[in-house]
Amino acid sequence: MTTILELAAWAVALMLATTMALVARGFLPVAMRADGSPVYHLSAGVVLIFTASALRALYWDVMPLALDAVHEGSWSAWHALVGRPIPNIILGLLFIWGGRHLLVLFWLLIPDHARGRYSILTAPFYPRAAPMCRAIVALLVRWRR
């Protein structure tokens, strides 16, 4: 028997998946251009991450209730057949691929003269001493005195 709370969770998951899919669709035309520009990497990253999020919500939140609504125990049988690692690996790879695009975006946003000192893994830390970081360090130094 499905409880009100489970139905609410199912409705939220459907709304989440729909919202994520619509946002991904909005970015899709730019993501399909593959011109290597910052806007392309932003769009591709958003499409991949939002698609993975929508698929994750559908798979883990909607599918169990939907399958069991059709025939009790269907989700358990499906889950026993497919297992937990396979969907998590597929969705995780989509998240990583989208994250890679966003890291390239961060790297492309670094001015040309400084870009050579950074990789896509260090680009999120540009500039090395952002004003907020300097303010935090100054506060810590004063606090320790």
Side-chain angles (χ1 to χ4, degrees):
M1 183 169 130
T2 305
T3 67
I4 297 283
L5 198 54
E6 287 173 324
L7 287 175
W10 196 35
V12 168
L14 278 172
M15 289 186 287
L16 170 69
T18 301
T19 302
M20 295 290 194
L22 289 171
V23 170
R25 172 56 185 95
F27 277 94
L28 192 59
V30 179
M32 297 301 290
R33 283 196 250 147
D35 60 6
S37 70
V39 173
Y40 158 72
H41 286 289
L42 171 66
S43 298
V46 168
V47 166
L48 288 164
I49 290 170
F50 274 50
T51 299
S53 296
L55 290 173
R56 188 188 183 295
L58 289 172
Y59 187 82
W60 290 111
D61 299 330
V62 176
M63 196 167 154
L65 286 173
L67 286 178
D68 283 345
V70 172
H71 182 3
E72 189 65 36
S74 295
W75 171 251
S76 296
W78 171 260
H79 196 261
L81 177 70
V82 174
R84 189 174 183 91
I86 292 171
N88 284 342
I89 289 169
I90 292 167
L91 295 171
L93 288 172
L94 284 175
F95 279 113
I96 291 167
W97 188 14
R100 184 203 166 275
H101 277 288
L102 296 178
L103 291 171
V104 170
L105 165 68
F106 297 150
W107 183 75
L108 289 172
L109 293 177
I110 297 171
D112 289 338
H113 65 80
R115 194 176 299 146
R117 296 190 306 259
Y118 292 86
S119 71
I120 66 167
L121 298 177
T122 59
F125 301 102
Y126 174 84
R128 289 187 192 269
M132 183 56 98
C133 293
R134 277 182 263 168
I136 292 170
V137 169
L139 284 172
L140 288 173
V141 168
R142 285 186 183 165
W143 180 65
R144 288 182 182 163
R145 287 184 192 167

